[in-house]
Amino acid sequence: TVMTTERYGVALLKNTRDAMVIEERAKKEGLAVRIIPTPSKIYASCGFSLKYVLSEEGALKTLLEEEMLSCDGFYHAEKEGLSVTYHEV
């Protein structure tokens, strides 16, 4: 069997409220986002992050600016089987 690599982005949010606000706004704009628990491999001040499609990163950053929300960081994830690696961007 050939293992496929899944690539996606993870935006670390400051708090749960911000996560809910930006998820709702992004979905209204048609972005494919989802709140996920912040991966344990990544330190974060909040337990929630936003998983997003890499091609929509620019649009997501624009929405965060419009909502005046900041992030603790953006990471690109590569998932192969059960193994996931994260790179800060």
Side-chain angles (χ1 to χ4, degrees):
T1 58
V2 175
M3 268 207 254
T4 58
T5 302
E6 180 190 357
R7 292 181 175 87
Y8 56 91
V10 177
L12 308 188
L13 298 155
K14 298 277 186 198
N15 57 56
T16 308
R17 187 194 145 277
D18 287 3
M20 290 166 45
V21 166
I22 196 62
E23 181 192 42
E24 184 179 337
R25 175 81 199 280
K27 284 186 172 178
K28 278 184 187 168
E29 298 288 331
L31 302 183
V33 299
R34 183 167 58 110
I35 291 178
I36 60 167
T38 297
S40 58
K41 290 181 181 179
I42 303 174
Y43 163 78
S45 54
C46 168
F48 295 101
S49 292
L50 204 64
K51 180 178 179 179
Y52 62 91
V53 179
L54 289 177
S55 62
E56 296 176 347
E57 187 171 84
L60 180 61
K61 286 182 176 180
T62 299
L63 289 182
L64 284 162
E65 284 173 21
E66 287 174 3
E67 292 291 332
M68 291 182 285
L69 300 176
S70 60
C71 263
D72 281 342
F74 287 88
Y75 289 79
H76 289 179
E78 283 193 16
K79 181 178 180 185
E80 238 179 295
L82 296 175
S83 169
V84 186
T85 54
Y86 299 94
H87 307 282
E88 191 167 6
V89 290

